Structure formats: C-alpha cells, structure tokens
Amino acid sequence: MQPPIPVLADYGISPVHGFLPDTLPLSRLPDPYYNKWEAIVANLQALILSRRLRGVIDRLPILSTIGLEHDAEWRRAYSLLGFMAHAYIWGADTPSDRLPPSISVPLLEISERLEVPPVATYATLVLWNFKPLFLDEGIDNLENLATLSTFTGSLDESWFYLVSVAIEARGGPIIPLMLNAIAAAQRGDVILVTKCLQAFAERLTDLTTILQRMHESCDPTVFYHRIRPFLAGSKNMAEAGLPNGVLYEDGSGTETYRQYSGGSNAQSSLIQFFDIVLGIEHRPTGEKPNPGSETEREYRAAQRHNFIRDMRRYMPGPHARFLHDVALVANIRDFVEEHTDNRQLCIAYDACLTMLSAFRDKHIGIVARYIINPSREVRARSRSRSPEVTRRRQNIAVSSRKEQDGEKKRGTGGTALIPFLKQARDETGEPAVEEWTRKFMKRKIKSEGVGDFFAGKPEEGAPVEQDVEVKGLAWSWTMDDEVGGICLY
C-alpha cells in the first residue's frame, strides 16, 4: 500500500510561508525572567568590540527553561542562545573551546525540545530571526524585512540573512503546489500535473531574481572577514584553534567535546524539497552516472551525498521528517517518463529543471564572489608577510593551500567546493526529457580572455594558481580539486 501524502500541518509547515513559522518570530521573550539573555543579544556588537562578552556570560546565572511556554518562545530562546554561543566562541582573538553552563545547560535542553543541534543553525539565523516592517505587507518582499539579531550590527549581515528569508517565503507556496502534483500523478491527471509544474517553474524564476539581489547590500569583503567567522561551527576546525571541538559545560563533570557544523544555507529544507519532488539525484563529487546498471535508481540512492544527508540533522526535526516522507511518495519524474508522448507535460517538467539549474548557477557565482575571490586575495597578501605574521593572523577567514608529502591535502570535509556546486547544477538537468533541454543545460560558457590568443601565455616563473582550502560555515572545502567527494570525511 502506498504511503499517504504528507499533511503540512503535521510537520508545522505553513502552506503560505513554507518552512518559515506560521506565527511570526517573537522580537522578545515575554517573561522578564529572560531579560538577561535579551540584554546580551541586544548589545552583542558592543560587548564583542569591547571584549567584555565572555566575562559577562561567565557571570550569567543558569536560567531555567520553565518559563518558556509556546513554540515561538522556545524558538526565540534557541536563537538567542545560538547567537550568544557563537559570539562567545569566536568573538575574541582566539576561539574558546568551552561554553559555560549559563549557555550550554539551557541550550542543550532547548535544542532537545526543538530537535535541532545546540549551535547557530540556519533556523537560528534565518527561519526564526526576522520580522516584517509592516504587518499588512508580505514577508517575501525584501523591502519589508528586518533581522531580529546579528553578530556585527551591519546592514551586510542583515541582508545576507534576509535574502534567504525572502526566498523561503516566496518558495513556500511551492510546497502544497507540488504535493497536489504528486496526488494528481497518483490519479493519472496529466493536465493538473502539467499546470502545477508550469507554476513551479514560474516561482523558481522569482527565487533566482531574489538571489541575484545579494550584492545590493552585502559587500563580499565585509561578509568574508567580519560576518563569516561568526557562522563557523566546531567541526573540522583544528587549524582555527578548536582541535577537539567545543566542551559544553553542564556541571556534571562528565562532559565530552562536541563537534558541529556551523550555520549554512545547505540546511534549508526548501532546496532539498525541490530536488526530491523533481526526482533529482546527487552523487559524490567527481562520481559519474552509471546508466548501464540495471539498478540505476538504487545505485543513485546508495551514492547519495553524505553532506546533504548530514545537513538534515541541522534542520528542525519535523522538517527533516517531512523531507523523508515526501521522498516516499515522490512520483513526478516517473510520471513524466511514463508520459513522454505528452509534449506539454515534458516541456513543463524540463522548464522546472532549467529554472532550478539557473538558480544554482547564480549560487555558484555568489560563492565565487563572496568566498573564493576573498580567499585568494588573502592568500596573495599572505605571501608578502613573514611566516610569523601570517600565523598570528590566521583564523577561519584565512584560506591556504596545504601540501603534505608532495600531495594535495584536502580539508577534512574532503569536498571540492566549486566542482561540488557545478556537479549539483549539472545533475539537476540529468532527468530532462527533451533532448534540446539536455543539450542546453550541458552548454559550457567560456570566460572572456581565458585561453585565447590575445591573453597570451603566463610568464615563466609566474605564480601558479593553487588550491585554496576554505574553513568554516557548514563544512571544510577545497575549491580547485576536480575530484574528492562529500563522502570523504
């Protein structure tokens, strides 16, 4: 018997706002008992700049969670403690490998209640960290959004989060739309499936338009050097000063070090939902498809990215369960493959793949502008400094090439960043039905002045581009390797 189609209300998902909470995030906890938490986060930037944050938190009493009632209050408390935790760890010259009980005790309890890790996740930074300026206007409008909390107090940081909020809000209606498409496919209703796919493609275009606005108010240099360090987790951060991770002190005397990934857009449930409903499968980076296998679908499922799977651990528990349950009933790709004689259906399905591929193209451009280019600038400047100065200035915003025994050493995450993103984009087009669509999405766009006659050859002895290893955020990445996969820890 086929599993039932998930009901959004069972997972706390809004048919209008999607994975954003149906009740707006609280701007403040109503119980004055929690005023100390609110005061610290309201003055986070000043406390970090004055280097007084750790002292203030060390003197903070352990507050009970007994005063938290509704889900919105638990989410607000989680967001507050997530900002406090990351500011405590990364808000000084050297990172702290311990969190005092005033943070860790309530954070561990709240995280267990909300089914999220005790770190600043995507939910902390985006899903539960916004407010509309005007209640009668939509939250899918960037001009109507503001953040509740930031580490730096900068417009750049707020804008970075709010672009994702607007994307989540604009993409929310796609969720019930595609659940209807799945139900229609079960009934064999080709016309309704086609209409749903057409509407999906149009909405995906809107999401790409919002993503393209990132550069308007978020400067790459500000993001890379001022914002990004606070988003780092404690996993694979030995070079940044956390070889064991972070000790969450709870007074028991039996605490062990924990390692978690930091906040990242990879923890958004929305994009994974798109892949699931369209039947898009992802392989480890560098892994080629195996069309000759008799069990190709099983092969793809077995080779699914550990990274993508791991990121579900950082989603609110109900959201992760929703993705799992949707995967059990997803049938759109099979339905289209069974009706390849219906041109309208095939064109609509291919349009969705094309629009999602275009969205990923824009994301690749943003990663290059906000992470890769600043990384290379840092590396170029570090060549002119003495080794002692370079070591003294090293933190998670610094990237460098690693050599060991004459071989390239990948970050412990083991994943090539740009090849991973490009492969994810290319895999988006693999299910395409129309031959023209497949050719269009496989096209290579040549960069101007690269490898042509007028560019000339590099001068003899000129520095050769090397790998850049990127630490922080949700993983550890290398950017130029052509091989290596997300599954290589």
Side-chain angles (χ1 to χ4, degrees), residues 19 30 35 44 55 64 66 80 116 120 164 169 192 211 229-230 253-254 262 275 309 319 328-329 396 452 467 473:
F19 297 104
N35 283 352
L44 202 56
S64 169
I66 195 170
L80 289 171
V116 283
S164 293
L192 183 55
L211 183 62
F230 288 107
T254 59
D275 283 339
R309 215 169 37 235
H319 296 178
L328 297 178
V329 297
I396 67 165
D452 59 26
D467 282 351
L473 296 183

Coordinates of all heavy atoms in Angstrom, one line a residue, residues 19 30 35 44 55 64 66 80 116 120 164 169 192 211 229-230 253-254 262 275 309 319 328-329 396 452 467 473:
F19 N 8.6 26.7 5.2 CA 9.4 26.3 6.4 C 9.6 27.4 7.3 O 10.1 27.2 8.4 CB 10.7 25.7 5.9 CG 10.6 24.4 5.1 CD1 10.8 24.5 3.7 CD2 10.2 23.2 5.7 CE1 10.6 23.3 3.0 CE2 10.1 22.1 5.0 CZ 10.3 22.1 3.6
P30 N 8.5 37.2 26.3 CA 7.6 38.0 27.2 C 7.9 37.9 28.6 O 7.6 38.9 29.4 CB 6.2 37.4 26.8 CG 6.5 36.0 26.4 CD 7.8 36.1 25.7
N35 N 15.2 38.6 30.7 CA 15.7 39.9 30.2 C 17.3 39.8 30.1 O 17.8 40.6 29.3 CB 15.3 40.9 31.2 CG 13.9 41.4 31.0 OD1 13.2 40.9 30.1 ND2 13.4 42.2 31.9
L44 N 25.1 42.8 21.7 CA 26.1 41.8 21.3 C 27.3 42.5 20.6 O 28.5 42.2 20.9 CB 25.5 40.8 20.3 CG 26.2 39.4 20.2 CD1 26.4 38.8 21.6 CD2 25.4 38.5 19.3
G55 N 33.3 37.7 29.7 CA 33.2 38.0 31.1 C 31.7 38.1 31.6 O 31.3 37.6 32.6
S64 N 16.5 28.8 34.0 CA 15.7 27.6 33.7 C 14.8 27.9 32.5 O 14.5 29.0 32.2 CB 14.8 27.3 34.9 OG 13.8 26.4 34.6
I66 N 11.8 26.8 32.4 CA 10.4 26.6 32.9 C 9.5 27.7 32.4 O 8.3 27.5 32.3 CB 10.4 26.4 34.4 CG1 9.1 25.9 34.9 CG2 10.7 27.8 35.1 CD1 9.1 25.5 36.3
L80 N 18.4 33.1 20.6 CA 19.2 34.0 21.5 C 20.5 33.2 21.9 O 21.6 33.8 21.9 CB 18.4 34.4 22.7 CG 17.3 35.4 22.5 CD1 16.5 35.5 23.7 CD2 17.8 36.8 22.1
V116 N 16.9 20.1 17.2 CA 17.9 20.8 16.5 C 19.2 20.7 17.3 O 19.2 20.6 18.5 CB 17.6 22.3 16.2 CG1 16.6 22.4 15.0 CG2 17.1 23.0 17.4
A120 N 24.3 27.6 16.3 CA 23.6 28.5 15.5 C 23.4 27.9 14.1 O 24.2 28.0 13.2 CB 24.4 29.8 15.4
S164 N 17.7 35.1 2.2 CA 17.2 33.7 2.4 C 15.8 33.7 2.9 O 15.0 32.8 2.6 CB 18.2 33.0 3.4 OG 19.4 32.8 2.8
A169 N 10.1 32.5 1.9 CA 8.7 32.9 1.9 C 8.2 32.8 0.5 O 7.0 32.4 0.3 CB 8.6 34.4 2.4
L192 N -3.4 18.4 -14.7 CA -3.1 19.1 -13.4 C -1.7 19.1 -13.1 O -1.1 20.0 -12.6 CB -4.0 18.5 -12.3 CG -3.8 19.2 -10.9 CD1 -4.1 20.7 -11.0 CD2 -4.7 18.5 -9.9
L211 N 17.7 36.0 -5.3 CA 19.0 35.6 -5.0 C 20.0 36.5 -5.7 O 21.1 36.9 -5.1 CB 19.3 34.2 -5.5 CG 20.7 33.6 -5.2 CD1 20.9 33.5 -3.7 CD2 20.8 32.2 -5.8
P229 N 33.2 34.6 9.9 CA 33.9 33.9 11.1 C 32.9 33.5 12.2 O 33.0 32.5 12.8 CB 34.9 35.0 11.6 CG 35.3 35.7 10.3 CD 34.0 35.8 9.6
F230 N 31.8 34.3 12.4 CA 30.9 34.0 13.5 C 30.0 32.8 13.1 O 29.3 32.3 14.0 CB 30.0 35.2 13.8 CG 30.8 36.3 14.5 CD1 31.2 37.5 13.9 CD2 31.1 36.1 15.9 CE1 31.9 38.5 14.6 CE2 31.8 37.1 16.6 CZ 32.2 38.3 15.9
G253 N 30.6 17.2 35.2 CA 32.0 16.7 35.3 C 32.3 15.5 34.3 O 33.4 15.0 34.3
T254 N 31.3 15.1 33.6 CA 31.4 14.1 32.6 C 31.3 14.5 31.1 O 31.0 13.8 30.2 CB 30.4 12.9 32.9 OG1 29.1 13.5 32.7 CG2 30.6 12.3 34.2
G262 N 28.6 24.6 11.3 CA 28.0 25.9 11.5 C 26.8 26.2 10.7 O 26.4 25.3 9.9
D275 N 14.6 19.2 -5.0 CA 15.3 18.0 -5.6 C 14.4 16.7 -5.4 O 14.3 15.9 -6.4 CB 16.6 17.8 -4.9 CG 17.7 18.8 -5.4 OD1 17.5 19.3 -6.5 OD2 18.7 19.0 -4.7
R309 N 22.8 14.6 3.3 CA 22.1 13.8 4.4 C 22.5 14.4 5.7 O 21.6 14.5 6.6 CB 22.5 12.4 4.3 CG 21.4 11.4 4.6 CD 21.7 10.0 4.3 NE 23.1 9.5 4.5 CZ 23.8 9.0 3.5 NH1 23.3 8.8 2.3 NH2 25.0 8.6 3.8
H319 N 10.8 19.2 10.0 CA 11.1 19.5 8.6 C 11.9 18.3 8.0 O 11.7 18.0 6.8 CB 11.9 20.8 8.5 CG 11.2 22.0 9.0 ND1 11.8 23.3 9.0 CD2 9.9 22.1 9.4 CE1 10.9 24.1 9.5 NE2 9.8 23.5 9.7
L328 N 9.2 9.3 0.0 CA 8.5 8.0 -0.1 C 7.3 8.1 -1.1 O 7.0 7.0 -1.7 CB 7.9 7.6 1.3 CG 8.9 7.4 2.4 CD1 8.2 7.0 3.7 CD2 9.9 6.3 2.0
V329 N 6.8 9.3 -1.4 CA 5.7 9.4 -2.3 C 6.0 10.1 -3.6 O 5.2 10.2 -4.5 CB 4.5 10.0 -1.6 CG1 4.0 9.2 -0.4 CG2 4.8 11.4 -1.2
I396 N 39.5 31.5 10.9 CA 38.7 30.7 9.9 C 38.5 31.5 8.6 O 38.0 31.0 7.7 CB 37.4 30.3 10.5 CG1 36.5 31.5 10.8 CG2 37.6 29.5 11.7 CD1 35.1 31.1 11.1
D452 N 42.7 32.3 -24.9 CA 42.7 32.7 -26.3 C 44.0 33.3 -26.7 O 44.9 33.5 -25.9 CB 41.5 33.7 -26.6 CG 41.6 34.9 -25.8 OD1 42.7 35.3 -25.3 OD2 40.5 35.6 -25.5
D467 N 45.5 25.3 -4.9 CA 44.2 25.1 -4.2 C 44.1 26.1 -3.1 O 45.0 26.5 -2.5 CB 44.3 23.7 -3.6 CG 44.0 22.6 -4.6 OD1 43.6 22.9 -5.7 OD2 44.2 21.4 -4.3
L473 N 31.8 27.8 8.2 CA 30.5 27.5 7.8 C 30.1 26.0 8.0 O 30.4 25.5 9.1 CB 30.2 27.9 6.3 CG 30.4 29.4 6.0 CD1 30.1 29.7 4.6 CD2 29.6 30.2 6.9

